Amino acid sequence: MELAKADCTQDGTVDFRGQPAVPSKTGKWKACAFLVGYEAFERMAFYGVASNLVNYLTTQLHEDTVSSVRNVNNWSGSVWITPILGAYIADSYLGRFWTFTLSSLVYVLGMTLLTIAVSLKRLRPTCTNGICNKASSSQIAFFYTALYTMAIGAGGTKPNISTFGADQFDDFNPNEKELKASFFNWWMFTSFLGALIATLGLVYIQENLGWGLGYAIPTAGLILSLVIFYIGTPMYRHKVRTTKSPARDLIRVPIAAFRNRKLQLPSNPSDLYDHHLQHYVTTGKRQIYHTPALRFLDKAAIKEESSTGSSRAPLTVTQVEGAKLICGMVLIWLVTLIPSTIWAQINTLFVKQGTTLDRNLGPNFKIPAASLGSFVTLSMLLSVPMYDRLFVPFMRQKTGHPRGITLLQRLGIGFSIQIIAIAIAYAVEVRRIRVIRSNHVVGPKDIVPMSIFWLLPQYVLIGIADVFNAIGLLEFFYDQSPEDMQSLGTTFFTSGIGVGNFLNSFLVTMVDKITGRGERKSWIGDNLNDCHLDYYYGFLLVLSSVNLLIFLWASSRYIYKKESIRVKEGLCVQMEGNPTLDASLGLQV
């Protein structure tokens, strides 16, 4: 039996039969190869819908500009918010594999219904002599039911597929830990590849060969990827839940701290209650060390003998520090909302802006406005290998940090590049308005004599920024989450994007109402050739600049996770990282 243990993974993962996972037969990139196919096809399906949805709503369902932008943002927000529920179910009840399995079937159902909605004529408004009717209530109901069914499915797949992939690497095995160092970079690379196919190929198919075909292709691809995913089942590793309801500690810690509010904290943090080291070794859980942040919460871990007359057992330092981690992550999460709002422009106002420009590429080919989003993906695809193979090794030599730079430094760089992108978007829009005035362009369907490629720099810079902030955020929230809440922690990333979309929807609606009062022209009107979109971009530029200053303050206050890593014999521990160097402590992904 001891020999068998030596041949098993050291992080306690099991195979699909519930037996200890054998490293030679399970996990690592050979298992992830079955996962990345799903990620590519899922991103192709999502962006195949999202990147051109605003055009479908305005040209096929005949919604106005503000309504279509609001509806796209609300749906996108739901896609990124629902993972909170999916992650909770995975961490507390079903586990990542089964939550993903059930949710992926709902996702496929949503895509199938959506394909039917755009294919059947009776589910779309009719047009007579160029005059089109508005969509009926039943047509709208069927279309949005399909859209939000897809959003519900994404709630269970999005937070679990990437964390399930990360679970395939044993943190206690130095060789596998080294392989894991690039996992999120290459995982997102695959994601970007799916998005590129959607924005280049599917958008063109939708506008030139038919919406039904443009939606049917990713639906078929999604079904194929699921078949491939299930073929790899014998190779997957599964993490065993060591806590019945890990999210419960988030409530118990502040309640216990409040209950002990009149007690005196010990001067030495080692006097706070925690399990013996052997407990963490035998259970396979990680011990999180004490940090000086949010000292009030430490009162939840005051030992029983200090709390005279109390019959309740104190919480452990590890439980308290887990709650502190979530509080710190909430602070960082709040300052990601404005950058997510900027990102929301890619599939909404940037697309509508592109429809007003000259999109001809030669005498017979017109570029779909939504296809310019492919340059976001292209810049990501080119930047990820450069970041992973050139930037990280170079900075690692300079700083000595395993990642080259810290996770928060990575986010700060991404947010700064994004500010430059929105500044360029503002400048390009100012020029577009000047061209409109000099050429007396008036009608909403009149084409401005200005190439669509003027929008290219803002797309490319947002793509480069995403290599720093999108991948950095996913890695940060996975890395800094308590061990039992890593699926739930990953939803900080997805929910930030979701709330950013809702925030953009709110801003667009309010700006339209406030600036369009009386006889004044709205900044964001149906006729983009007769409004002030530049003012809205300027508004976003100011918001982003202020948000960056708040981020710098928040990151200076953040204390990284400090946890134990047991060696193979399980008799000694190692505390990862060095807080004085602002190093990321925990998984060195």
Side-chain angles (χ1 to χ4, degrees), residues 31-94:
C32 289
F34 293 92
L35 306 179
V36 295
Y38 174 83
E39 180 67 9
F41 277 108
E42 189 277 329
R43 289 295 84 188
M44 185 174 76
F46 173 75
Y47 285 107
V49 175
S51 58
N52 216 18
L53 183 57
V54 69
N55 276 340
Y56 184 86
L57 295 180
T58 52
T59 62
Q60 303 298 312
L61 297 187
H62 311 297
E63 295 184 0
D64 60 75
T65 299
V66 172
S67 295
S68 63
V69 169
R70 182 173 60 244
N71 288 330
V72 170
N73 282 321
N74 288 342
W75 172 73
S76 296
S78 299
V79 169
W80 294 104
I81 281 287
T82 50
I84 295 176
L85 179 60
Y88 176 76
I89 293 172
D91 282 342
S92 301
Y93 300 103
L94 298 181

Side-chain angles (χ1 to χ4, degrees), residues 143-395:
F143 182 80
Y144 280 104
T145 297
L147 269 184
Y148 281 91
T149 299
M150 183 179 169
I152 293 170
T157 60
K158 193 61 189 168
N160 291 304
I161 187 65
S162 59
T163 49
F164 186 64
D167 291 344
Q168 305 308 308
F169 301 91
D170 186 351
D171 285 316
F172 302 139
N173 183 312
N175 293 329
E176 292 194 22
K177 190 170 185 177
E178 187 175 340
L179 290 173
K180 189 176 182 178
S182 299
F183 171 74
F184 282 110
N185 286 336
W186 291 104
W187 178 263
M188 293 298 282
F189 181 89
T190 306
S191 176
F192 299 155
L193 196 60
L196 178 65
I197 295 171
T199 51
L200 272 181
L202 293 182
V203 166
Y204 178 83
I205 291 172
Q206 289 164 4
E207 295 194 5
N208 294 276
L209 301 179
W211 291 91
L213 181 61
Y215 282 21
I217 291 173
T219 302
L222 204 58
I223 295 171
L224 175 63
S225 68
L226 284 175
V227 173
I228 295 172
F229 172 83
Y230 294 127
I231 290 173
T233 299
M235 295 186 184
Y236 300 146
R237 298 175 186 174
H238 305 263
K239 280 200 171 180
V240 180
R241 286 189 293 118
T242 55
T243 304
K244 199 167 187 180
S245 183
R248 187 176 57 178
D249 287 344
L250 300 180
I251 300 172
R252 293 174 64 200
V253 168
I255 290 176
F258 181 77
R259 188 172 59 240
N260 295 342
R261 64 190 180 280
K262 295 181 180 179
L263 299 180
Q264 186 70 34
L265 275 172
S267 57
N268 190 343
S270 63
D271 292 331
L272 295 170
Y273 177 73
D274 206 348
H275 294 304
H276 291 294
L277 174 60
Q278 191 60 38
H279 169 82
Y280 293 101
V281 172
T282 56
T283 59
K285 296 180 67 175
R286 295 186 183 183
Q287 181 181 11
I288 306 179
Y289 292 104
H290 180 267
T291 60
L294 300 173
R295 287 279 289 159
F296 171 77
L297 294 179
D298 288 343
K299 291 192 174 186
I302 293 178
K303 289 183 178 179
E304 191 171 354
E305 56 263 32
S306 300
S307 51
T308 56
S310 174
S311 60
R312 298 185 181 94
L315 300 179
T316 65
V317 169
T318 295
Q319 289 173 303
V320 171
E321 290 301 320
K324 288 183 183 181
L325 283 171
I326 298 299
C327 291
M329 289 163 61
V330 168
L331 183 62
I332 299 300
W333 178 83
L334 287 172
V335 292
T336 68
L337 301 183
I338 296 300
S340 294
T341 301
I342 303 301
W343 187 84
Q345 309 310 313
I346 295 172
N347 296 326
T348 53
L349 290 178
F350 282 8
V351 175
K352 294 301 294 179
Q353 188 182 17
T355 59
T356 68
L357 300 176
D358 180 9
R359 295 182 283 136
N360 291 313
L361 194 65
N364 301 315
F365 184 76
K366 181 177 286 189
I367 302 170
S371 286
L372 219 60
S374 63
F375 286 96
V376 174
T377 312
L378 275 172
S379 60
M380 289 176 176
L381 288 171
L382 293 173
S383 299
V384 167
M386 293 174 64
Y387 180 90
D388 192 67
R389 300 303 181 192
L390 300 177
F391 180 80
V392 171
F394 175 77
M395 292 304 299

